[in-house]
Amino acid sequence: MLSSATTALEKFVTDTWVKATWDQFLMLADNPDYENGRFYYHQGYVRIEMSPVGPRHGRQNSVIAYLVVLCASLRNIPIFVFTNTSFRKTGLDEFQPDLAFYIGSGLKVPPDNNSPVDLNEYDPPTLVVEIGATSINDDLGQKRLLYERSGVREYWAVNTNLRDTIAFSISDRRSGEIEESQVLPGLAISLVESALQRSETEDDGAITRWLLQTFTQG
């Protein structure tokens, strides 16, 4: 649920949505107190996530990254992966997902620099992934609306505690749940969940060998 407006930026509350202008958002983004935060801005509200990231989150982040890259690579599909990267449509929106992928040819992929990706100049990511435990309700709510508006074609929300993935295909600013990826046809979301389940007991090499066998037999 969105919080009410704060009276001053010094009293800003993290890990929730707070009413703010775009200029206030930029001031917060430049504040060294939040240099390790992840920033979101949508419809006049800002959210800065400062919760610590543990090994469960980091491991599942890695598993999904190499699963998606491996799937695309074996099918000769061009792919670029960005981790914790800021994407900005000036004055309107900003998001900094755990993972963002550009999948396919002919896309305007952002250059190699340290500035937020300008979505007025470059294409939005094809696939965005958010991985969280305490933030999962927000991942399925306000962030989902943000990605609908931003031109992302597919969105996965991962619950780290359950190792559960809810995937959405997005078109015309509307999203619907899917059981198979639309940007990587043939990739069942249940396979993503199986890989996450395996990460609880298996090392990355074993998971990669299993994925290779699964993809080449498919």
Side-chain angles (χ1 to χ4, degrees):
M1 182 176 181
L2 301 179
S3 71
S4 59
T6 54
T7 57
L9 294 181
E10 300 84 50
K11 299 180 181 179
F12 185 82
V13 179
T14 61
D15 298 289
T16 189
W17 291 92
V18 175
K19 189 171 181 61
T21 65
W22 180 256
D23 287 340
Q24 287 175 320
F25 166 73
L26 293 179
M27 290 177 64
L28 290 165
D30 290 336
N31 189 325
D33 290 343
Y34 306 118
E35 63 179 348
N36 294 320
R38 290 170 54 208
F39 287 77
Y40 298 83
Y41 189 84
H42 180 53
Q43 294 188 327
Y45 285 83
V46 60
R47 177 183 174 96
I48 305 176
E49 296 186 353
M50 297 292 292
S51 299
V53 175
R56 178 180 295 175
H57 181 287
R59 183 85 191 289
Q60 293 184 33
N61 191 85
S62 298
V63 168
I64 290 178
Y66 61 70
L67 181 153
V68 173
V69 171
L70 182 61
C71 180
S73 300
L74 291 173
R75 299 175 185 181
N76 294 316
I77 301 173
I79 187 167
F80 296 85
V81 56
F82 294 86
T83 303
N84 292 332
T85 300
S86 296
F87 298 86
R88 176 177 295 176
K89 185 164 287 188
T90 301
L92 293 175
D93 297 307
E94 179 148 341
F95 51 94
Q96 190 178 348
D98 290 293
L99 292 166
F101 302 88
Y102 285 80
I103 302 172
S105 57
L107 298 173
K108 293 182 179 178
V109 179
D112 183 15
N113 60 39
N114 285 321
S115 300
V117 176
D118 184 354
L119 293 180
N120 290 313
E121 184 174 358
Y122 302 100
D123 287 324
T126 312
L127 168 65
V128 162
V129 181
E130 292 281 6
I131 301 168
T134 58
S135 66
I136 189 63
N137 288 335
D138 182 72
D139 294 341
L140 292 171
Q142 189 73 359
K143 287 183 190 175
R144 178 180 169 187
L145 297 177
L146 170 57
Y147 294 130
E148 287 179 353
R149 171 171 166 165
S150 299
V152 170
R153 291 175 53 194
E154 191 163 306
Y155 171 48
W156 299 357
V158 178
N159 185 327
T160 58
N161 291 333
L162 301 177
R163 289 177 166 80
D164 178 54
T165 301
I166 302 177
F168 302 93
S169 178
I170 302 174
S171 178
D172 297 326
R173 294 194 176 188
R174 294 179 181 272
S175 61
E177 189 173 354
I178 53 175
E179 295 183 356
E180 180 179 301
S181 174
Q182 303 299 295
V183 298
L184 289 169
L187 175 60
I189 303 305
S190 60
L191 182 69
V192 179
E193 295 179 324
S194 294
L196 294 175
Q197 293 292 338
R198 284 174 177 263
S199 71
E200 192 171 8
T201 57
E202 298 181 19
D203 68 82
D204 291 353
I207 296 171
T208 301
R209 290 189 293 272
W210 169 74
L211 285 171
L212 279 169
Q213 183 179 30
T214 301
F215 286 141
T216 54
Q217 288 179 347

